[in-house]
Amino acid sequence: MLKNKLIRADLYLLVLFIAYCVAVVLRVSIEGTGYTSPDSEYYMEAARSLKSGEEFIIRDLYGLHTGQKNARVLFTAWPIGYPTLIAIITWVSGLNLFWASKVLNLIFAGLGFLLLRHINRRYSFVLASIYGAFTIIEMYSYTWSECVFMYGCLLFTFLIYKVYVSGKPSLIYALLAVAAFMFLVRYIGFFAGGVTLLLAIITWFEQRRRVSRHLFIVFVLNVIFVCGYVMHNHYAAGYNTDAQRLTEDMGSPLKVLWMAIKGLMIELFIIRNYYLRGIPGGLTIATALLQVTVIGYIRSILRQQREAVAVAVKGNILSHTAVVVALAYLVVLVFLRSISQFDPPNYRLLSPFTILMLFALVNYIVALPDQIKGAVRAKYVIAGFFILSLLLNLPKKFLLSQLL
């Protein structure tokens, strides 16, 4: 009986992944920009440069980094990880850089689905349904490094959890590899070192001194790696990441915090983002009401087993860990924005926080024992809600015109 349920769950997960790939390809094919931005073009330019043997000397396509269009400049504004992965996909598949970047995104979406299957095979499709949220599918449509970074955040969170409950040295040193990967994809990935240090301190006070020592070694090695990379940038290019980030008035930390709060308020609209400007449209209001209804319904069907639910939620260390990692990322993001110049905290920059929080919240429900009355129903309601979000984030006008 259980085996049949697991096979059915795998089938659901596979169908969901295929539908997700179709949705992303459809969005990319219909959108006039192909879900690319100037940043996307810089990523692809770096991949082209690497593929042609020029290493990471790129053309400053828009003059954003040198003030002169097409001037030759070392690729330091972002880490080398994402364009390197695009170049590898191009070498292996023969695809052009544009489609290689989209295939790369879908590969990491697939890796995310597999990780969630490993976490909870029986309800992996419920966990994976969070990829249907507006912010997440938007990110996996764009040629941006955040989609790879989000997978790194999920994997890092899972490893932190496994290290805490098992203390295995092999898992502890796997944290170093994942933290380095995250930094090579996005500079803010250095925050993983801070989380590792936090866990080292926690395990030290819990009298788990051996685990704590290993974690502290991993933290020190991570710091050495990050500092070595940044020092190389400074030696080769004259600045740590990108000179233009240091030339603007950053604003006070309170102002940056307010920008982050507004960004988080927007992220509360899961199906369809409302940017807090003007009167929201009918679809935005309808989806917001649907979201409130779903939350209220789940609370109502679980209320009868309040004590059992509370015990299960309290013991869900994995979800607790995801919340801690998400908050650590948010704190570092606000800090960095207060000392350097980049976009205000929006759905793009907040996407790692969003996916971790969605995972944590959904996993609180998914991890509930099926014996709790209403738990199974709540899990399927959540999956249905996010699948509906996926459908509503398809290019509706185009599809309707094709049907007509």
Side-chain angles (χ1 to χ4, degrees):
M1 185 68 176
L2 177 60
K3 183 178 179 181
N4 291 336
K5 288 182 178 180
L6 293 177
I7 293 174
R8 195 182 310 125
D10 286 344
L11 180 61
Y12 292 161
L13 185 67
L14 178 61
V15 171
L16 180 59
F17 177 66
I18 293 172
Y20 199 77
C21 291
V22 171
V24 170
V25 171
L26 186 61
R27 284 164 58 89
V28 169
S29 301
I30 301 308
E31 172 63 36
T33 64
Y35 282 94
T36 59
S37 69
D39 286 2
S40 306
E41 295 184 43
Y42 278 107
Y43 285 129
M44 289 187 284
E45 168 63 13
R48 181 208 60 76
S49 176
L50 179 61
K51 187 171 178 288
S52 62
E54 300 176 58
E55 296 183 351
F56 287 100
I57 304 297
I58 67 167
R59 295 171 296 156
D60 190 356
L61 301 174
Y62 293 91
L64 297 179
H65 309 291
T66 62
Q68 182 180 353
K69 284 187 178 182
N70 293 320
R72 308 282 286 177
V73 62
L74 185 65
F75 183 82
T76 59
W78 300 274
I80 63 173
Y82 189 57
T84 299
L85 291 171
I86 294 175
I88 291 173
I89 297 297
T90 302
W91 280 325
V92 171
S93 66
L95 293 169
N96 61 36
L97 293 171
F98 173 82
W99 281 110
S101 70
K102 306 307 180 183
V103 168
L104 175 64
N105 291 358
L106 293 177
I107 288 173
F108 275 88
L111 291 174
F113 276 45
L114 290 176
L115 176 60
L116 298 176
R117 180 182 182 270
H118 179 73
I119 291 171
N120 189 325
R121 183 179 175 186
R122 174 71 180 87
Y123 290 107
S124 56
F125 64 95
V126 181
L127 289 173
S129 69
I130 65 174
Y131 278 74
F134 168 82
T135 291
I136 311 304
I137 191 171
E138 193 80 353
M139 299 312 303
Y140 277 92
S141 300
Y142 268 100
T143 299
W144 285 340
S145 60
E146 280 79 5
C147 55
V148 176
F149 187 75
M150 284 190 285
Y151 168 74
C153 288
L154 285 172
L155 180 58
F156 179 76
T157 297
F158 179 67
L159 283 177
I160 285 285
Y161 157 73
K162 295 294 286 185
V163 166
Y164 181 75
V165 298
S166 72
K168 291 182 179 179
S170 59
L171 292 176
I172 295 174
Y173 288 96
L175 282 175
L176 177 62
V178 176
F181 170 77
M182 292 167 65
F183 177 76
L184 287 174
V185 174
R186 289 188 67 216
Y187 285 128
I188 196 174
F190 78 85
F191 90 95
V195 176
T196 305
L197 178 61
L198 176 62
L199 185 59
I201 294 171
I202 291 172
T203 51
W204 180 269
F205 282 107
E206 290 181 346
Q207 304 301 314
R208 301 166 64 186
R209 300 297 169 82
R210 181 170 172 271
V211 174
S212 181
R213 283 193 292 269
H214 282 300
L215 285 167
F216 186 74
I217 291 172
V218 167
F219 166 72
V220 171
L221 292 174
N222 186 62
V223 170
I224 292 173
F225 173 76
V226 169
C227 291
Y229 188 98
V230 171
M231 288 173 64
H232 173 267
N233 278 357
H234 192 84
Y235 173 78
Y239 36 83
N240 297 333
T241 57
D242 187 17
Q244 58 100 11
R245 292 179 179 172
L246 306 176
T247 60
E248 301 288 340
D249 180 15
M250 301 304 111
S252 68
L254 286 178
K255 182 179 179 181
V256 176
L257 179 60
W258 174 239
M259 287 191 293
I261 291 173
K262 288 195 295 184
L264 291 172
M265 290 173 63
I266 293 171
E267 289 299 283
L268 290 175
F269 294 83
I270 293 175
I271 295 181
R272 183 180 175 87
N273 274 20
Y274 168 55
Y275 297 99
L276 307 180
R277 295 190 296 267
I279 300 173
L283 185 57
T284 300
I285 294 173
T287 53
L289 290 175
L290 173 64
Q291 182 176 321
V292 172
T293 302
V294 167
I295 294 172
Y297 179 70
I298 292 173
R299 287 189 60 187
S300 67
I301 61 179
L302 295 178
R303 188 174 299 168
Q304 299 175 12
Q305 303 287 324
R306 185 177 301 173
E307 291 185 7
V309 171
V311 170
V313 168
K314 186 177 180 181
N316 193 330
I317 299 175
L318 178 55
S319 283
H320 299 340
T321 303
V323 172
V324 171
V325 176
L327 292 175
Y329 171 82
L330 182 63
V331 169
V332 173
L333 176 66
V334 172
F335 170 74
L336 287 179
R337 184 57 181 79
S338 67
I339 64 171
S340 59
Q341 176 65 27
F342 51 85
D343 293 340
N346 53 20
Y347 71 91
R348 177 183 176 183
L349 297 177
L350 290 172
S351 58
F353 171 85
T354 300
I355 196 170
L356 288 173
M357 289 301 294
L358 286 177
F359 166 75
L361 294 172
V362 172
N363 190 57
Y364 279 126
I365 304 298
V366 164
L368 293 176
D370 286 353
Q371 292 76 16
I372 294 178
K373 185 178 179 181
V376 174
R377 201 186 331 157
K379 296 169 188 180
Y380 279 93
V381 168
I382 289 171
F385 172 75
F386 282 106
I387 290 171
L388 177 62
S389 176
L390 175 63
L391 294 174
L392 290 177
N393 281 294
L394 292 174
K396 296 177 287 297
K397 291 183 179 179
F398 171 79
L399 293 175
L400 182 60
S401 67
Q402 294 301 305
L403 289 174
L404 294 177

